[in-house]
Amino acid sequence: MLTAMGVQPYDHQRDLAAVQRIWEDCRWVTDDDDKAAMVHFLQAADAWVARIDGQAECLVGTVPGRLRYQATDLPLAVVAGVTTSLVGRKQQLAGRVTATALGAAARAGAAVSVLGMFEQGFYDRLGFGTGSYDHVLTLDPATLRVDLPTRRPVRLTVEDWQEVHDCLMSRVRGHGGVVTGPAGLTRAEMAWTETPFGLGLRDDEGTLTGLVWGEGKGENGPFTVTHLAHRTPTELLEVLGLLRSLDDQVRSVKLTEPVGVQLQDVIRHVGRQEIAGKGASHGFRHEASAWWQIRILDLQAAVAACRLDGPAVRFCLQLSDPLDDLLHDPLGRAGSARAAGSWVVTLGPASSARRGSAGDLPTLTASVNAFSRMWLGVRPASVLSLTDDLAGPPGLLDALDRVLAPLPTPHPGLDF
């Protein structure tokens, strides 16, 4: 069982030099500009460290935000910056510090947590389950079947970090869409962008309503879009038009498929590009990656967000959670976010989860990892019963598949 032993809140005056050394060990920072951007991240995060001989050798931050579940925004903790120094490796420090940070986030009211994983499996032992695939396309911007923007584009630089953050936070979000509260994270990510490019569109009042930001390499690309924002479907076409406007020089642009569209619908000659580009630097490519993970921290809040059509499904839930003790009582204080144990769950037009059991109801047994994936709509219950830690009677699995089927595929829409 992971414990909070030896883990303490980050102290900026005491720990800054040490945590910058951690990131130097990991090659996350290489110069003074990188270190300055790191300070912006630390100011935005609730950071925790583990010390060896009085020196911080492991750092984990959580950044508060919101996750869209259907029409509800749930309080979110984004786990970021999980790093361990070279002398702290193989001592389970990262797991301990992340667990402690999650406990603190749960006590602060976070209902769910997400993170970007470096490898599938490591964060499973902290209760995280793998999210859905993001589609990433590399294309010639000249093949985009969109008009050029009617509004004159504006240049964006790192100095526009606050405005960029505000635009990202007000963008269109679908089911699973993520926003973060503090602007410092956006500021840091923009500052860390190598050879950055940024273009935006303003409305009549001068407000930034759409943008692309990313990394441009070489004279002809590839240009990689790391941030994309729009508020309406029409604005999405305008933002894609910003990318098309680069086609005189740039031969390839890489971007994650925006929420709600199938990007191939606005691309010419997909098959021709694939054939012509085999083995070439700028060929058309379509990749998929499940790079993020999610876990529920507060089961009652998470389930209450469900608004599902059709007959309700009621069942008993026996939920296991590797962080149960820590989330419940990490530092000798009772908490309210404990997820493990016996529950009676209703999923339907009015969903709920309450402590207890009911002998007349079927029982679903699941880890918080698998249940979180089912709840968010990553995979159906029947599939998770084959590939993950979830089991129940066939009739219950079929009923869960039906009631959760209308959930759209979740997409964060933001890198973290």
Side-chain angles (χ1 to χ4, degrees):
M1 175 64 66
L2 294 167
T3 71
M5 185 179 300
V7 180
Q8 296 175 319
Y10 166 77
D11 182 307
H12 190 68
Q13 287 190 335
R14 175 180 177 179
D15 296 322
L16 177 59
V19 299
Q20 287 179 331
R21 185 177 62 242
I22 293 171
W23 282 27
E24 286 179 317
D25 283 353
C26 299
R27 304 301 186 264
W28 282 23
V29 297
T30 58
D31 55 33
D32 289 342
D33 289 339
D34 286 347
K35 291 180 180 179
M38 183 182 182
V39 172
H40 301 315
F41 164 74
L42 292 168
Q43 291 172 340
D46 297 316
W48 293 77
V49 297
R51 296 188 179 94
I52 299 176
D53 296 331
Q55 292 291 309
E57 302 292 356
C58 180
L59 171 73
V60 175
T62 61
V63 179
R66 302 186 305 278
L67 179 137
R68 177 68 54 83
Y69 190 96
Q70 295 181 295
T72 299
D73 271 353
L74 288 169
L76 173 71
V78 179
V79 177
V82 181
T83 42
T84 305
S85 73
L86 297 181
V87 302
R89 303 288 171 88
K90 305 301 183 184
Q91 299 178 52
Q92 299 185 342
L93 296 183
R96 289 185 196 159
V97 183
T98 304
T100 303
L102 287 170
R107 294 196 307 276
V112 287
S113 180
V114 295
L115 54 77
M117 56 179 167
F118 72 92
E119 179 57 271
Q120 185 166 305
F122 178 85
Y123 294 105
D124 292 27
R125 61 196 180 112
L126 300 174
F128 285 89
T130 301
S132 54
Y133 292 112
D134 270 353
H135 294 276
V136 181
L137 284 78
T138 302
L139 56 96
D140 183 341
T143 64
L144 283 168
R145 294 192 302 106
V146 296
D147 295 328
L148 296 175
T150 57
R151 293 182 281 171
R152 180 175 61 83
V154 295
R155 179 182 292 106
L156 299 174
T157 71
V158 176
E159 298 305 314
D160 300 307
W161 57 269
Q162 182 65 62
E163 200 172 10
V164 168
H165 177 78
D166 293 342
C167 185
L168 290 170
M169 298 310 105
S170 63
R171 76 188 191 281
V172 168
R173 284 186 294 142
H175 180 65
V178 168
V179 293
T180 56
L185 182 60
T186 302
R187 184 179 186 181
E189 289 176 340
M190 291 178 68
W192 284 322
T193 305
E194 297 182 10
T195 57
F197 76 96
L199 292 171
L201 297 168
R202 299 189 187 279
D203 62 17
D204 293 339
E205 286 72 41
T207 301
L208 190 65
T209 63
L211 66 88
V212 288
W213 173 271
E215 180 180 287
K217 286 191 174 181
E219 180 181 355
N220 306 121
F223 277 31
T224 300
V225 176
T226 58
H227 296 78
L228 184 149
H230 61 94
R231 299 185 306 185
T232 67
T234 300
E235 286 181 353
L236 171 59
L237 296 180
E238 286 188 292
V239 167
L240 293 176
L242 291 174
L243 297 177
R244 187 196 147 190
S245 71
L246 306 176
D247 64 7
D248 287 344
Q249 174 181 333
V250 177
R251 292 295 175 262
S252 61
V253 173
K254 182 177 182 179
L255 73 157
T256 299
E257 188 171 71
V259 62
V261 300
Q262 188 168 347
L263 197 55
Q264 281 193 195
D265 289 345
V266 293
I267 301 174
R268 294 186 182 91
H269 308 309
V270 170
R272 182 187 296 270
Q273 289 187 75
E274 286 182 313
I275 295 170
K278 285 183 177 178
S281 300
H282 300 291
F284 179 89
R285 286 183 292 279
H286 184 173
E287 305 162 292
S289 173
W291 59 271
W292 60 281
Q293 291 189 302
I294 184 166
R295 64 152 293 150
I296 291 171
L297 295 172
D298 186 331
L299 185 69
Q300 290 174 306
V303 171
C306 301
R307 297 291 185 270
L308 304 167
D309 295 332
V313 178
R314 296 187 72 235
F315 58 96
C316 291
L317 172 64
Q318 193 64 40
L319 194 67
S320 61
D321 184 349
L323 300 188
D324 179 48
D325 290 342
L326 187 64
L327 293 180
H328 178 58
D329 191 15
L331 297 174
R333 296 170 293 184
S336 61
R338 189 179 191 182
S342 300
W343 298 85
V344 177
V345 177
T346 301
L347 294 178
S351 301
S352 64
R354 63 171 179 83
R355 291 279 181 188
S357 60
D360 59 331
L361 295 177
T363 297
L364 183 74
T365 302
S367 65
V368 69
N369 319 51
F371 188 86
S372 298
R373 299 178 74 199
M374 182 193 78
W375 162 81
L376 193 60
V378 175
R379 291 284 88 191
S382 58
V383 173
L384 293 170
S385 70
L386 299 175
T387 62
D388 210 328
D389 187 9
L390 184 145
L396 174 59
L397 298 178
D398 289 344
L400 290 170
D401 284 357
R402 286 195 301 272
V403 75
L404 293 167
L407 289 178
T409 302
H411 292 291
L414 195 69
D415 200 3
F416 41 78

